[in-house]
Structure formats: C-alpha cells, structure tokens
Amino acid sequence: MDHRHTAQGEANAQRAAWMRVLALADPAMLDGAFGSLGGLPTHQMLRPAQTGMAMVRARSGGTGGRFNLGEMTVTRCAVSLDNGVVGIAYVQGRSLRHAEQAAVADALLQLPDWHDTVQAQLIEPLARDRAGRVESQARVAAQTKVEFFTMVRGED
C-alpha cells in the first residue's frame, strides 16, 4: 500500500470528524467558542451561506434497499482564506451564521499554525457538549423504556 494514500486517508478521516462536530454543534455554543478564538485571518466568500433542501435517503432495516425518507433543510457555505485554503460546511437547519463559522473553522483547522488552537478551543469543547447531550437524551429515553412479556395461558 502506498504511504501517500494512507496519509491522505487519515487526513480525510480527521477532516470528516471535525466537520461532523461543527455541523452537529449547538449554534449558540459554537458562536461563543468561535468568538474566543480572537483575531482570525480574513476570508472571502466563495459560496455565501445559503439555505436549501436535501433529500434524506435511508435503508430498510439499515441494510436493505434504499428509499427516500424525506427532505430536510440544509445550509451550506464555502470560504477561502487569503492564503487560498478553502473551508466548507453543510449544517442542518437555516442558520447562516452557523454555516459560515463552521466553514471558517474548517479552513483554519487545515492550517498548521491554527490547527491545535482551534482543536482545543472549539472542536474538543463542542464534541464534549454533543456527547453530553446525546447521553442525556439516552437517559431520558431509558426512563421511558417499556418491557413486554408474554404470559402463558393454561390450557385445560
């Protein structure tokens, strides 16, 4: 196996992970954490944040045939930093600010000078917040769990 392909695959996986964190972030928490980054490099809009619809596809039983589940609102944005690094974002809902901040963060995370700072001040806190929200939802769901059982009827 070619070492370049392995390294590129690793870089793609890391980028996909931080893009997922940014897309699933609570917009208010992202806004607060984003503001704490300080003086950011300037960026230009390649594709200003815009809202549209995307078709959600699913599989029967998770592995069966695909079918169209329905549409959802998605906002996308693409930015370019002055050095030419491009950041993109797709987020659920209509928050133009969330999409733009996520795109800028994506671009910054690709820069060695910014990567560790953005990772520590933005991605890690957002990932912890998301994990906490998921855990809280799981606890609430577990409280409403109902167990069914079948009684055997005596036959005479």
Side-chain angles (χ1 to χ4, degrees):
M1 180 181 266
D2 187 359
H3 178 67
R4 280 180 290 139
H5 292 291
T6 305
Q8 185 62 41
E10 170 96 10
N12 287 344
Q14 289 176 351
R15 186 173 184 203
W18 76 55
M19 290 177 81
R20 182 177 196 281
V21 169
L22 290 165
L24 295 174
D26 173 72
M29 186 164 182
L30 173 64
D31 193 42
F34 196 82
S36 73
L37 290 176
L40 300 174
T42 59
H43 65 277
Q44 295 77 39
M45 293 289 184
L46 294 177
R47 175 175 285 149
Q50 57 188 175
T51 300
M53 301 295 284
M55 179 59 68
V56 177
R57 300 200 64 186
R59 289 185 181 269
S60 301
T63 58
R66 291 183 185 189
F67 64 95
N68 292 339
L69 182 63
E71 291 183 333
M72 67 181 274
T73 306
V74 176
T75 302
R76 67 181 180 179
C77 183
V79 300
S80 174
L81 301 179
D82 288 341
N83 62 3
V85 173
V86 173
I88 60 170
Y90 284 80
V91 300
Q92 181 179 351
R94 300 177 177 275
S95 176
L96 304 178
R97 185 168 177 83
H98 183 174
E100 182 178 348
Q101 288 175 333
V104 171
D106 175 47
L108 292 173
L109 282 158
Q110 296 175 63
L111 299 175
D113 293 347
W114 279 91
H115 181 85
D116 291 344
T117 301
V118 177
Q119 191 71 33
Q121 293 183 16
L122 197 69
I123 299 301
E124 290 170 8
L126 292 174
R128 282 192 304 272
D129 177 67
R130 169 82 176 144
R133 285 185 285 132
V134 167
E135 184 180 318
S136 175
Q137 289 171 346
R139 276 196 308 272
V140 169
Q143 292 173 355
T144 63
K145 181 179 178 182
V146 177
E147 294 199 27
F148 294 92
F149 61 93
T150 304
M151 294 181 62
V152 177
R153 193 173 71 179
E155 297 292 323
D156 290 347

